[in-house]
Structure formats: structure tokens, C-alpha cells
Amino acid sequence: MPQILTFIQLSGFISQGVVTWLTPEGKVDGIHVFLGELDNLFTYDTPIKTREGILDWKDIDWILNPNNLGIPEKIPHYLPTLLAHKGNHLFTYSQNKMVHQKL
């Protein structure tokens, strides 16, 4: 699949932390999480299929709904903390338990 560029321009963004986990092969994997804001009048037609998944706008309640099967299971564990507390956070997901550490 070709790379999809959104061309979304942000005036700035901040790092909200790192989420790490162990793969089934025992290797450490993870993602950096960045937070930015868009003007309320900003529009962007979605959904768009990308290499990483489907890009779409969703309300936070949809994302955090415990019955939602449309997102990775780890997101409801770390997203509320990342949104509520500025700064860097390290999350480790191991043996079905999320461990949080404020950096």
C-alpha cells in the first residue's frame, strides 16, 4: 500500500509519553504518543485506509468504551492518563497488566 500523507498542519505538538510492551517473541516494542490540537473549524474527510490502520475522527467516549472492538485493547489502559497528565509517561504492558511510571 502506498504511503498516505495527511498534510495536516499543526502549530505545535508535545510528547505525552511512550507505551511499551513485550511481543510474543519476547522483544520490546512500543510507540511514542504525541498530542496536538486542531481548530474546531478544521475539516478532513475520513475514513482513510492507511498502512497502520484506518484513520478516522472518533469521540473519546467511543475510544474508551469497554465494549469497543474497533481499537487495540491497550489504548483504554493508557489514553486517559496521557490526556489527563502532561509530561512523559512510560507504560509497560506485560503479563496482561499495564504498569505506569511518570518520568
Side-chain angles (χ1 to χ4, degrees), residues 15-22 28-33 74 77-79 81-83 85-94 97-103:
S15 172
Q16 280 297 100
V18 178
V19 179
T20 63
W21 59 87
L22 292 176
V28 176
D29 200 356
I31 60 170
H32 291 266
V33 179
K74 297 176 193 80
H77 293 284
Y78 64 77
L79 188 58
T81 300
L82 292 178
L83 294 175
H85 304 286
K86 290 186 178 184
N88 286 314
H89 303 268
L90 177 65
F91 294 87
T92 305
Y93 188 78
S94 179
K97 187 174 184 178
M98 181 74 69
V99 178
H100 169 242
Q101 184 178 3
K102 176 88 166 97
L103 300 178

Side-chain angles (χ1 to χ4, degrees), residues 23-40:
T23 67
E25 296 80 26
K27 295 182 179 181
V28 176
D29 200 356
I31 60 170
H32 291 266
V33 179
F34 296 91
L35 183 61
E37 291 187 28
L38 294 169
D39 186 278
N40 285 340

Side-chain angles (χ1 to χ4, degrees), residues 35-66:
L35 183 61
E37 291 187 28
L38 294 169
D39 186 278
N40 285 340
L41 300 176
F42 180 82
T43 59
Y44 192 82
D45 291 331
T46 62
I48 299 171
K49 185 177 179 181
T50 72
R51 183 181 64 179
E52 291 82 16
I54 297 172
L55 174 64
D56 201 0
W57 303 110
K58 298 292 183 189
D59 290 326
I60 193 72
D61 293 337
W62 183 90
I63 295 168
L64 298 179
N65 185 319

